[in-house]
Amino acid sequence: MFSRLESKYVEIPLRDSAVRLTTKILCHQDPVAGGNKYYKLKYNLLRAKELGLSHVVTMGGAFSNHLAATARACRSLGIRSTGIVRGEPVSNITLNRAISDGMELVFVSRERYRARYEPGFAESVLDRASDWWLVPEGGSNEEGVRGCQEILDAYDDVFDWVAVCCGTGSTALGLSKSLKPHQRLLGFCVLRHADEIKERFNGNEQVEINADFHFGGYAKSTQKLEKYCEDFHHDSGIEIEPIYTGKMFFGLHQMISEGRFAAGSRIIALHTGGMQYLKED
Ligand SMILES: *Cc1c(COP(=O)(O)O)cnc(C)c1O
């Protein structure tokens, strides 16, 4: 774990296009603990180890890719993990896998979950003093952003545009700090609050945040988007899902067909993962 995550590059076929689109699949080696969550967890778990803490507490929704990744990564490092889950107790692939990876789950009402950013939230839910490393929802803290600065490597210098989907925007923030001067970042919001995400970039002119392809909000989808994801899989051999990467690829395809990129542009679209809830392993 955290030695190095191998990515896979695949050229996406485009019809009559003056641009080239390549995807870098971050979850190729590990669909559960890979993807962007690997990078967000890396310095969090290394920090826990460094501080001699053998317990990690984190939180998320019942379908959270982050919970699944944290449980798996903690197991591989021999760290105990607890997940605070939003809402009534339920059972699904994500949570069952987290449990079998050794994560202890504690369900809290949606109302109570709203206080998740307040200091002392985890202590009050777990009813004891902290002896753990706390990873916020989605792994979106300083350590998380730092890890995402390692997603791009020297091979990626050939690309003009780096595309990624944004939940909290932490992955995009890490990427923005590692861009080369000739590169631009294009972030596709998968939720409605684009303004909050835009603010995180402090007017960085290398960053463009697109809010046109959220399809109504987080985890909202349409038949058109579902169909797009199926066709994409059929045409490219790559599986995508409609919550994250599907929205990015849909947006990219539309922008490409509208001629929004200069002729000859090379675009790298990051496949951040998200497939864990569709498959048992
Ligand atoms: C969590 C997640 C994201 C969102 O990452 P942020 O850093 O919160 O923007 C994107 N894609 C996938 C597949 C994810 O699981």
Side-chain angles (χ1 to χ4, degrees):
M1 188 72 196
F2 300 129
S3 43
R4 202 190 127 76
L5 187 68
E6 295 298 329
S7 305
K8 182 180 174 188
Y9 292 83
V10 180
E11 190 84 15
I12 306 295
L14 296 173
R15 273 183 216 106
D16 306 327
S17 180
V19 308
R20 276 174 71 189
L21 177 61
T22 307
T23 183
K24 178 171 179 169
I25 306 176
L26 307 180
C27 55
H28 168 66
Q29 196 183 336
D30 188 340
V32 178
N36 66 336
K37 299 304 186 284
Y38 163 95
Y39 294 95
K40 295 215 264 185
L41 284 169
K42 178 176 173 180
Y43 290 105
N44 271 294
L45 301 189
L46 290 177
R47 188 98 181 96
K49 282 259 172 192
E50 207 175 274
L51 294 172
L53 299 173
S54 55
H55 184 191
V56 160
V57 174
T58 193
M59 57 205 76
F63 293 93
S64 165
N65 296 328
H66 166 70
L67 285 180
T70 305
R72 175 85 29 119
C74 283
R75 187 184 71 174
S76 75
L77 291 175
I79 298 176
R80 181 178 157 208
S81 67
T82 300
I84 300 174
V85 189
R86 183 189 63 222
E88 295 300 308
V90 285
S91 166
N92 62 36
I93 291 186
T94 302
L95 298 180
N96 290 343
R97 187 193 288 112
I99 291 169
S100 61
D101 281 335
M103 183 176 261
E104 182 199 346
L105 301 182
V106 180
F107 292 86
V108 301
S109 69
R110 285 171 180 268
E111 193 187 348
R112 191 167 188 201
Y113 191 79
R114 274 188 217 121
R116 66 194 176 282
Y117 296 119
E118 280 168 27
F121 171 74
E123 286 83 346
S124 102
V125 169
L126 304 180
D127 197 22
R128 57 201 147 95
S130 164
D131 60 349
W132 53 75
W133 178 256
L134 186 75
V135 182
E137 187 178 69
S140 300
N141 56 4
E142 227 177 280
E143 285 78 9
V145 172
R146 180 175 164 208
C148 293
Q149 290 176 232
E150 297 178 1
I151 293 176
L152 296 176
D153 51 47
Y155 180 83
D156 302 323
D157 290 354
V158 299
F159 296 99
D160 308 297
W161 287 92
V162 178
V164 69
C165 46
C166 301
T168 63
S170 299
T171 305
L173 190 58
L175 288 165
S176 74
K177 292 174 191 280
S178 65
L179 293 175
K180 292 287 152 46
H182 70 279
Q183 293 181 313
R184 298 199 67 192
L185 180 74
L186 177 56
F188 289 92
C189 290
V190 303
L191 306 83
R192 287 170 155 278
H193 58 245
D195 289 344
E196 277 170 46
I197 291 183
K198 280 181 190 160
E199 266 172 30
R200 301 191 68 183
F201 296 92
N202 271 326
N204 183 342
E205 290 182 351
Q206 283 181 279
V207 179
E208 190 179 313
I209 299 297
N210 181 301
D212 298 337
F213 301 99
H214 58 62
F215 289 84
Y218 184 66
K220 296 272 187 326
S221 182
T222 62
Q223 270 187 353
K224 199 171 166 188
L225 179 61
E226 306 272 342
K227 173 83 165 59
Y228 174 83
C229 292
E230 279 166 31
D231 291 348
F232 186 95
H233 182 203
H234 182 262
D235 296 345
S236 68
I238 299 159
E239 287 183 283
I240 57 175
E241 43 66 49
I243 297 176
Y244 288 108
T245 51
K247 292 182 182 179
M248 170 189 68
F249 279 111
F250 187 102
L252 269 176
H253 260 129
Q254 183 158 321
M255 289 176 73
I256 290 169
S257 67
E258 289 169 357
R260 301 267 286 273
F261 299 95
S265 296
R266 290 201 61 183
I267 307 164
I268 184 167
L270 301 173
H271 190 317
T272 41
M275 305 307 300
Q276 64 81 19
Y277 77 100
L278 293 170
K279 261 181 279 182
E280 309 258 1
D281 59 349

mmCIF file of all heavy atoms in Angstrom, residues 36-37 40 65 138 140 165-172 241 244-245 272-274, ligand 1:
data_model
loop_
_atom_site.group_PDB
_atom_site.id
_atom_site.type_symbol
_atom_site.label_atom_id
_atom_site.label_comp_id
_atom_site.label_asym_id
_atom_site.label_seq_id
_atom_site.Cartn_x
_atom_site.Cartn_y
_atom_site.Cartn_z
ATOM 1 N N ASN A 36 -9.028 8.156 -7.185
ATOM 2 C CA ASN A 36 -8.533 9.367 -6.511
ATOM 3 C C ASN A 36 -8.500 9.194 -4.999
ATOM 4 O O ASN A 36 -7.737 9.861 -4.306
ATOM 5 C CB ASN A 36 -9.354 10.609 -6.907
ATOM 6 C CG ASN A 36 -10.789 10.551 -6.427
ATOM 7 O OD1 ASN A 36 -11.338 9.484 -6.193
ATOM 8 N ND2 ASN A 36 -11.410 11.709 -6.280
ATOM 9 N N LYS A 37 -9.303 8.282 -4.461
ATOM 10 C CA LYS A 37 -9.330 8.084 -3.011
ATOM 11 C C LYS A 37 -7.991 7.553 -2.473
ATOM 12 O O LYS A 37 -7.619 7.842 -1.354
ATOM 13 C CB LYS A 37 -10.477 7.141 -2.609
ATOM 14 C CG LYS A 37 -11.858 7.651 -2.981
ATOM 15 C CD LYS A 37 -12.159 9.035 -2.402
ATOM 16 C CE LYS A 37 -13.581 9.496 -2.641
ATOM 17 N NZ LYS A 37 -13.829 9.953 -4.012
ATOM 18 N N LYS A 40 -6.024 10.635 -1.911
ATOM 19 C CA LYS A 40 -6.527 11.434 -0.793
ATOM 20 C C LYS A 40 -6.213 10.783 0.557
ATOM 21 O O LYS A 40 -6.060 11.455 1.567
ATOM 22 C CB LYS A 40 -8.029 11.652 -0.943
ATOM 23 C CG LYS A 40 -8.343 12.496 -2.182
ATOM 24 C CD LYS A 40 -9.510 13.402 -1.959
ATOM 25 C CE LYS A 40 -10.786 12.837 -2.459
ATOM 26 N NZ LYS A 40 -11.872 13.827 -2.308
ATOM 27 N N ASN A 65 -17.750 6.006 -1.869
ATOM 28 C CA ASN A 65 -16.521 5.367 -2.349
ATOM 29 C C ASN A 65 -15.403 5.570 -1.331
ATOM 30 O O ASN A 65 -14.517 4.731 -1.193
ATOM 31 C CB ASN A 65 -16.084 6.004 -3.678
ATOM 32 C CG ASN A 65 -17.092 5.770 -4.785
ATOM 33 O OD1 ASN A 65 -17.757 4.738 -4.819
ATOM 34 N ND2 ASN A 65 -17.217 6.724 -5.690
ATOM 35 N N GLY A 138 -15.019 12.326 2.444
ATOM 36 C CA GLY A 138 -14.366 12.393 1.137
ATOM 37 C C GLY A 138 -12.849 12.497 1.186
ATOM 38 O O GLY A 138 -12.200 12.624 0.155
ATOM 39 N N SER A 140 -11.191 14.961 2.329
ATOM 40 C CA SER A 140 -10.920 16.295 1.801
ATOM 41 C C SER A 140 -10.282 17.227 2.821
ATOM 42 O O SER A 140 -10.897 18.189 3.248
ATOM 43 C CB SER A 140 -12.222 16.891 1.288
ATOM 44 O OG SER A 140 -12.709 16.038 0.283
ATOM 45 N N CYS A 165 -13.583 15.226 -12.548
ATOM 46 C CA CYS A 165 -14.884 15.607 -11.984
ATOM 47 C C CYS A 165 -14.661 16.088 -10.549
ATOM 48 O O CYS A 165 -13.694 15.690 -9.890
ATOM 49 C CB CYS A 165 -15.877 14.450 -12.058
ATOM 50 S SG CYS A 165 -15.234 12.880 -11.532
ATOM 51 N N CYS A 166 -15.548 16.958 -10.087
ATOM 52 C CA CYS A 166 -15.386 17.564 -8.759
ATOM 53 C C CYS A 166 -16.576 17.260 -7.864
ATOM 54 O O CYS A 166 -17.720 17.569 -8.213
ATOM 55 C CB CYS A 166 -15.318 19.082 -8.856
ATOM 56 S SG CYS A 166 -13.998 19.708 -9.868
ATOM 57 N N GLY A 167 -16.288 16.641 -6.714
ATOM 58 C CA GLY A 167 -17.279 16.516 -5.652
ATOM 59 C C GLY A 167 -17.019 17.661 -4.684
ATOM 60 O O GLY A 167 -17.651 18.709 -4.741
ATOM 61 N N THR A 168 -16.020 17.475 -3.827
ATOM 62 C CA THR A 168 -15.596 18.578 -2.960
ATOM 63 C C THR A 168 -14.613 19.491 -3.686
ATOM 64 O O THR A 168 -14.370 20.610 -3.253
ATOM 65 C CB THR A 168 -14.862 18.035 -1.718
ATOM 66 O OG1 THR A 168 -13.674 17.368 -2.150
ATOM 67 C CG2 THR A 168 -15.737 17.076 -0.946
ATOM 68 N N GLY A 169 -14.003 18.986 -4.752
ATOM 69 C CA GLY A 169 -13.004 19.771 -5.482
ATOM 70 C C GLY A 169 -11.589 19.598 -4.933
ATOM 71 O O GLY A 169 -10.658 20.237 -5.416
ATOM 72 N N SER A 170 -11.406 18.729 -3.949
ATOM 73 C CA SER A 170 -10.068 18.549 -3.365
ATOM 74 C C SER A 170 -9.101 17.889 -4.342
ATOM 75 O O SER A 170 -7.917 18.224 -4.375
ATOM 76 C CB SER A 170 -10.135 17.702 -2.100
ATOM 77 O OG SER A 170 -10.940 18.336 -1.155
ATOM 78 N N THR A 171 -9.614 16.949 -5.106
ATOM 79 C CA THR A 171 -8.759 16.310 -6.105
ATOM 80 C C THR A 171 -8.313 17.353 -7.121
ATOM 81 O O THR A 171 -7.127 17.460 -7.453
ATOM 82 C CB THR A 171 -9.524 15.166 -6.814
ATOM 83 O OG1 THR A 171 -10.008 14.269 -5.812
ATOM 84 C CG2 THR A 171 -8.636 14.418 -7.791
ATOM 85 N N ALA A 172 -9.266 18.149 -7.581
ATOM 86 C CA ALA A 172 -8.958 19.201 -8.554
ATOM 87 C C ALA A 172 -7.969 20.205 -7.961
ATOM 88 O O ALA A 172 -7.063 20.677 -8.650
ATOM 89 C CB ALA A 172 -10.239 19.899 -8.995
ATOM 90 N N GLU A 241 -19.440 5.334 -14.516
ATOM 91 C CA GLU A 241 -20.741 5.354 -13.827
ATOM 92 C C GLU A 241 -21.292 6.784 -13.839
ATOM 93 O O GLU A 241 -20.547 7.730 -14.059
ATOM 94 C CB GLU A 241 -20.607 4.772 -12.415
ATOM 95 C CG GLU A 241 -19.393 5.213 -11.613
ATOM 96 C CD GLU A 241 -19.390 6.672 -11.266
ATOM 97 O OE1 GLU A 241 -20.431 7.131 -10.762
ATOM 98 O OE2 GLU A 241 -18.364 7.354 -11.478
ATOM 99 N N TYR A 244 -20.051 10.164 -11.037
ATOM 100 C CA TYR A 244 -18.845 10.982 -11.179
ATOM 101 C C TYR A 244 -18.330 11.014 -12.621
ATOM 102 O O TYR A 244 -18.580 11.962 -13.357
ATOM 103 C CB TYR A 244 -17.744 10.463 -10.239
ATOM 104 C CG TYR A 244 -17.990 10.755 -8.773
ATOM 105 C CD1 TYR A 244 -18.339 9.745 -7.882
ATOM 106 C CD2 TYR A 244 -17.844 12.042 -8.281
ATOM 107 C CE1 TYR A 244 -18.543 10.014 -6.529
ATOM 108 C CE2 TYR A 244 -18.046 12.323 -6.938
ATOM 109 C CZ TYR A 244 -18.390 11.310 -6.065
ATOM 110 O OH TYR A 244 -18.590 11.587 -4.741
ATOM 111 N N THR A 245 -17.613 9.970 -12.998
ATOM 112 C CA THR A 245 -16.887 10.050 -14.275
ATOM 113 C C THR A 245 -17.813 10.159 -15.492
ATOM 114 O O THR A 245 -17.440 10.759 -16.502
ATOM 115 C CB THR A 245 -15.955 8.829 -14.459
ATOM 116 O OG1 THR A 245 -16.708 7.638 -14.229
ATOM 117 C CG2 THR A 245 -14.795 8.890 -13.477
ATOM 118 N N THR A 272 -11.380 8.672 -12.146
ATOM 119 C CA THR A 272 -11.083 8.700 -10.712
ATOM 120 C C THR A 272 -11.594 7.471 -9.955
ATOM 121 O O THR A 272 -11.349 7.347 -8.756
ATOM 122 C CB THR A 272 -11.683 9.983 -10.110
ATOM 123 O OG1 THR A 272 -12.983 10.199 -10.679
ATOM 124 C CG2 THR A 272 -10.819 11.193 -10.421
ATOM 125 N N GLY A 273 -12.341 6.591 -10.627
ATOM 126 C CA GLY A 273 -12.824 5.377 -9.957
ATOM 127 C C GLY A 273 -14.341 5.375 -9.875
ATOM 128 O O GLY A 273 -15.030 5.761 -10.812
ATOM 129 N N GLY A 274 -14.851 4.924 -8.730
ATOM 130 C CA GLY A 274 -16.297 4.964 -8.517
ATOM 131 C C GLY A 274 -17.038 3.700 -8.911
ATOM 132 O O GLY A 274 -18.265 3.644 -8.831
HETATM 133 C C1 LIG B 1 -14.903 10.956 -4.417
HETATM 134 C C2 LIG B 1 -14.854 10.937 -5.883
HETATM 135 C C3 LIG B 1 -14.667 12.118 -6.650
HETATM 136 C C4 LIG B 1 -14.673 13.482 -6.028
HETATM 137 O O1 LIG B 1 -13.444 13.904 -5.550
HETATM 138 P P1 LIG B 1 -13.315 15.324 -4.861
HETATM 139 O O2 LIG B 1 -11.903 15.396 -4.443
HETATM 140 O O3 LIG B 1 -14.239 15.328 -3.675
HETATM 141 O O4 LIG B 1 -13.701 16.367 -5.828
HETATM 142 C C5 LIG B 1 -14.535 11.994 -8.016
HETATM 143 N N1 LIG B 1 -14.630 10.784 -8.631
HETATM 144 C C6 LIG B 1 -14.830 9.662 -7.939
HETATM 145 C C7 LIG B 1 -14.942 8.376 -8.675
HETATM 146 C C8 LIG B 1 -14.947 9.694 -6.552
HETATM 147 O O5 LIG B 1 -15.170 8.553 -5.870
#
